[in-house]
């Protein structure tokens, strides 16, 4: 039998950078997924294969070799491939920890760009953990179910394993990315405490990837340095960002009774995004590429803000229900003419899901 698990990426809706200083932030799943298919093979085949479809790399290890080198694997890759090496090491560690040394073929494919702040590594770890656990002895799932189904009682276990994978890749992750990817919907987090928010508002965003790499640690350090130089002002800015996070949660949890009410709420969220972006610019985390996207979307009277660390990465543009497909197509064409990459995504959807292939 073959199992496929998929897990969504994430965006920060509000509160990035302020969250480092003890303020609230709000993150949401997006309906762009990383999928992991796992097929166990007969015991006499004696190999574990990993196929990374999107980067065109295949790995194959004999069980004997894995047992030999697992503890030294981090040193077995060239420095330039450190990101890939950590991802492969996370795979081998999760695989052998959950399933032992059973021969198998694992295929990974993703709709998420790597390293763009959309939670691609967390989605990878969550989908991988879910697929492995689905075929492990302690987890009893109804394998006769057809189509995609959402994890329930098993979700906590998937999240714990995924967090361990994220530690291998990132060292000291917050746990937010894997939690959003596992449980879906919206999560508010503050000082290490996460609260799940049930959004009642169907939202769509245009996500524009600047393709500009960013140094998250340096950006965070620069904000802290600015705070030490201007403590009073920065405190006010960070508190204002937190107020925006709180208002986001209030609006998306409210029930819009009709289209007029929904439209008014979308307008409020657009204003919050514009204010949030202004505050992020004021603390020094914008970038020329981000400003180009902001100026372009402003021509279409659409609200945008950076998401994540800033300094490049991705920009969110709210797509209200009244905006036509033709307008969005025109905007995307203009943004892509700058060399940016665009995705449209639904916000706050389902978390990790599993599907069993009954044909094999």
């Amino acid at each position: 039998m073959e199992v496929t698990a998929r897990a969504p990426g994430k965006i920060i809706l509000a509160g990035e950078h302020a969250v480092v200083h003890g303020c609230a932030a709000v993150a949401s799943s997006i309906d762009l997924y990383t999928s992991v298919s796992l097929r166990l093979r007969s015991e006499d085949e004696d190999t574990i294969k990993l196929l990374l479809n999107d980067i065109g790399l295949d790995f194959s290890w004999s069980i004997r070799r894995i047992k030999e080198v697992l503890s030294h694997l981090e040193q077995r890759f060239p420095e330039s491939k450190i990101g890939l090496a950590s991802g492969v090491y996370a795979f081998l560690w999760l695989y052998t920890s959950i399933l032992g040394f059973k021969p198998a073929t694992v295929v990974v494919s993703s709709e998420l760009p790597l390293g763009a702040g959309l939670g691609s590594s967390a989605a990878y770890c969550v989908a991988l953990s879910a697929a492995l656990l689905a075929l492990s002895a302690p987890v009893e799932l109804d394998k006769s179910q057809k189509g995609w189904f959402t994890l329930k009682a098993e979700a906590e276990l998937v999240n714990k394993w995924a967090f361990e994978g994220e530690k291998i890749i990132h060292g000291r992750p917050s746990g937010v990315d894997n939690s959003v990817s596992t449980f879906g919907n919206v999560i508010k987090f503050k000082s290490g405490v996460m609260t799940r928010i049930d959004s009642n508002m169907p939202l769509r965003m245009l996500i524009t990837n600047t393709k500009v790499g960013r140094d998250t640690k340096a950006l965070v350090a620069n904000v802290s340095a600015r705070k030490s130089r201007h403590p009073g002002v920065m405190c006010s800015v960070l508190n204002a960002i937190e107020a925006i996070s709180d208002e986001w949660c209030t609006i998306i949890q409210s029930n819009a009774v009709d289209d007029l009410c929904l439209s008014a709420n979308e307008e409020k969220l657009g204003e919050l995004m514009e204010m949030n972006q202004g505050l992020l610019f004021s603390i020094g985390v914008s970038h020329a590429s981000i400003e180009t996207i902001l100026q372009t979307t402003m021509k279409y009277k659409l609200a945008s803000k950076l998401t994540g660390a800033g300094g490049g990465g991705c920009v969110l543009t709210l797509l209200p229900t009244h905006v036509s497909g033709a307008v969005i197509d025109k905007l995307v064409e203009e943004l892509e003419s700058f060399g940016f990459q665009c995705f449209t995504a639904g916000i706050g959807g389902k978390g990790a899901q599993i599907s069993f292939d009954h044909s094999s």
Side-chain angles (χ1 to χ4, degrees), residues 4 13 74 90 103 114 150 156 160 163-164 186 199 228 312 316 337:
T4 301
L13 294 170
E74 286 143 308
L114 302 176
T150 306
E156 284 289 355
K160 281 179 182 157
F163 187 47
E164 295 306 313
V186 178
S199 171
S228 66
L316 306 178
S337 74

Side-chain angles (χ1 to χ4, degrees), residues 45-57:
E45 294 200 39
D46 194 41
T47 54
I48 294 174
K49 291 184 178 178
L50 173 64
L51 281 61
L52 301 173
N53 278 356
D54 303 286
I55 49 178
L57 283 176

Side-chain angles (χ1 to χ4, degrees), residues 96-119:
T96 52
S97 299
I98 296 170
L99 281 185
F101 295 92
K102 293 179 182 175
T105 298
V106 179
V107 182
V108 181
S109 54
S110 185
E111 299 169 323
L112 295 162
L114 302 176
L118 299 181

Side-chain angles (χ1 to χ4, degrees), residues 67-251:
K67 287 177 177 174
E68 277 174 20
V69 304
L70 196 59
S71 58
H72 309 292
L73 200 65
E74 286 143 308
Q75 282 80 50
R76 296 195 59 78
F77 289 85
E79 275 301 307
S80 61
K81 291 269 195 274
I82 199 70
L84 173 64
S86 62
V88 172
Y89 183 55
F91 164 76
L92 285 172
W93 187 85
L94 285 168
Y95 189 100
T96 52
S97 299
I98 296 170
L99 281 185
F101 295 92
K102 293 179 182 175
T105 298
V106 179
V107 182
V108 181
S109 54
S110 185
E111 299 169 323
L112 295 162
L114 302 176
L118 299 181
S120 59
S121 69
Y124 165 73
C125 290
V126 171
L128 181 56
S129 300
L132 293 167
L133 287 164
L135 296 184
S136 70
V139 173
E140 291 183 14
L141 293 170
D142 178 3
K143 295 181 174 64
S144 65
Q145 291 187 74
K146 293 197 166 59
W148 292 105
F149 61 95
T150 306
L151 296 166
K152 294 183 175 69
E154 311 79 19
E156 284 289 355
L157 189 58
V158 167
N159 197 37
K160 281 179 182 157
W161 278 111
F163 187 47
E164 295 306 313
E166 276 277 83
K167 284 181 192 169
I168 291 170
I169 294 171
H170 290 299
R172 292 177 60 201
S174 67
V176 170
D177 286 16
N178 52 278
S179 297
V180 172
S181 189
T182 302
F183 299 109
N185 219 316
V186 178
I187 286 178
K188 184 179 185 180
F189 53 106
K190 179 176 178 170
S191 305
V193 178
M194 291 185 226
T195 312
R196 286 166 67 185
I197 305 284
D198 288 324
S199 171
N200 291 313
M201 200 171 167
L203 280 178
R204 274 195 321 147
M205 294 271 186
L206 180 68
I207 302 171
T208 305
N209 181 10
T210 63
K211 299 187 189 171
V212 175
R214 69 261 181 273
D215 183 341
T216 301
K217 282 181 185 156
L219 287 157
V220 169
N222 289 344
V223 172
S224 294
R226 191 171 287 210
K227 189 181 177 200
S228 66
R229 290 193 299 272
H230 311 282
V233 176
M234 282 293 285
C235 220
S236 298
V237 172
L238 297 171
N239 285 338
I241 291 174
E242 179 166 57
I244 289 169
S245 295
D246 291 340
E247 203 172 326
W248 254 98
C249 292
T250 303
I251 292 169

